[in-house]
Amino acid sequence: MYGLASGALPLGQFVARDGIIDLAWGHPDPALLPIGGLQRAANAVLARYGADALGYGYPTGPGPLIAWLCDHLGAIDGRKPDPEAVLATAGNSQALDQVATILTKPGDSVLVEAPTYHLAVRILRDHPLNLVPIPSDEDGMRVEALPGIMRALRRGGAGLQANGGRSGRPRLLYCVPTFNNPTGASLPPERRRQLVEFAAEAGIVIVEDDAYGELAYDAPRPPSLWSLAPPGVVVRLGSFSKSLAPGLRAGFLTADAAIVERFRESGQLDSGGGVSHFSSLVIAEFARSGDYSANVARLRAAYRERRDALLDALGESSRPALDWRRPGGGYFAWVALPAGTDARVLLRKAEAAGVGFMTGPSFYAGPIPSAATGRIRLAFTRYGPEALIEAGRRLLAVLDLAAG
Ligand SMILES: Cc1ncc(COP(=O)(O)O)c(C=O)c1O
């Protein structure tokens, strides 16, 4: 149902490999996608708006989506946006690419967490931008390191121009502060406050990738950086890929109205109108009927159970040689292997034993710290609890840590 269409032409991104429970993919379980509800919403949209649903859309997004988003974010986040501070996007990948187009010039520096979402690195490098890593600890970005990094950049520190760009004041700081990819960590409140203060003072725009904010398992989500910051400091990217369905290619951003205006005036929106117009209307319909909130509640329950199934299975090891923090939300567990184990060597053996994962070094834009070679990222969303328990057993067996 997902993967190859009839004939040889692919339909989806996921590639199944026989016999492998592949925890490398940060994808939803196809069985959890709300097909019936979206079908009803699409029919209702076509009946209600007719040709207006299929024409070019308003550049910043259709009114019904923007109005619902303002109410929804007012209810779940620290601050309600004004409609002119919201822009419909085609998901966080497109939005990040467009942010880089509008707010940077080739060769500018961009601060990124280390580790960070590996495909954001690809998008930023496409522009091309000079990526400057900020170290992290188990709570996320080490915000106190930022002034030192800025000083080194001003001096043109050789290590900080590793990608060959021109240095100088960074334009952007890209981060995933809530249920991080790959670590699962969320930045504590004090660091959030310090981070927005630093950016406001330094004149750097924070790009807050909030792809996982809705998927909180143990407590309400922390307030976004956007909701804590003075106007103009944060562009928050929200996606419907994780809370609804990635194939809709839809998301939104919240930012200062003046920044949204710069997007509105861009050639892309002038030419094509609002991105993902039809999907945005379908999502607004789905949300107004109450289905969106119900869907998020269902995903939270399912993924909480899966997170626990996988980590409890890993906890069954013969000795406590693996280490992790149970993530409070999102898709991923970031697991430390027994001392001296190289994740890249382990991966070959693990795949032969029927389990896949992403290795720690994949998530660094700059130098790879030695501890990262002993880390793996496990996605617990695509498979049900039984498969995850089996994946955990296979991993322990390959590591020679199986109990009994
Ligand atoms: C941190 C982060 N940002 C962005 C994306 C991609 O988002 P979208 O599907 O909205 O383009 C992902 C997906 O894995 C992600 O983990």
Side-chain angles (χ1 to χ4, degrees), residues 70-130:
C70 290
D71 291 344
H72 180 63
L73 294 172
I76 65 157
D77 196 6
R79 179 149 67 94
K80 178 176 176 167
D82 295 328
E84 56 277 15
V86 184
L87 176 81
T89 70
N92 286 10
S93 309
Q94 181 268 341
L96 179 60
D97 194 64
Q98 190 66 357
V99 166
T101 300
I102 287 175
L103 298 182
T104 70
K105 294 200 177 49
D108 279 346
S109 294
V110 173
L111 299 165
V112 296
E113 291 161 297
T116 191
Y117 172 47
H118 60 305
L119 298 177
V121 169
R122 292 276 326 276
I123 293 170
L124 293 168
R125 284 202 173 134
D126 278 349
H127 279 268
L129 294 162
N130 175 39

Side-chain angles (χ1 to χ4, degrees), residues 13 25-27 89-96 116-120 123 174-176 178-182 209-212 237-242 245-247 249-252 331-332 377:
Q13 192 184 41
W25 295 84
H27 281 198
T89 70
N92 286 10
S93 309
Q94 181 268 341
L96 179 60
T116 191
Y117 172 47
H118 60 305
L119 298 177
I123 293 170
Y174 168 80
C175 61
V176 189
T178 305
F179 314 135
N180 182 276
N181 179 3
D209 187 333
D210 197 20
Y212 299 97
L237 312 182
S239 175
F240 292 112
S241 291
K242 312 300 177 182
R249 292 290 80 214
F252 60 91
Y331 268 32
F332 306 109
R377 187 197 77 174

Side-chain angles (χ1 to χ4, degrees), residues 8-57:
L9 295 176
L11 189 61
Q13 192 184 41
F14 180 79
V15 180
R17 290 182 294 165
D18 270 353
I20 297 187
I21 304 170
D22 200 345
L23 308 188
W25 295 84
H27 281 198
D29 183 346
L32 294 176
L33 298 174
I35 298 170
L38 286 172
Q39 202 164 27
R40 278 192 298 281
N43 284 336
V45 161
L46 288 169
R48 176 158 335 116
Y49 304 112
D52 286 340
L54 297 175
Y56 284 102

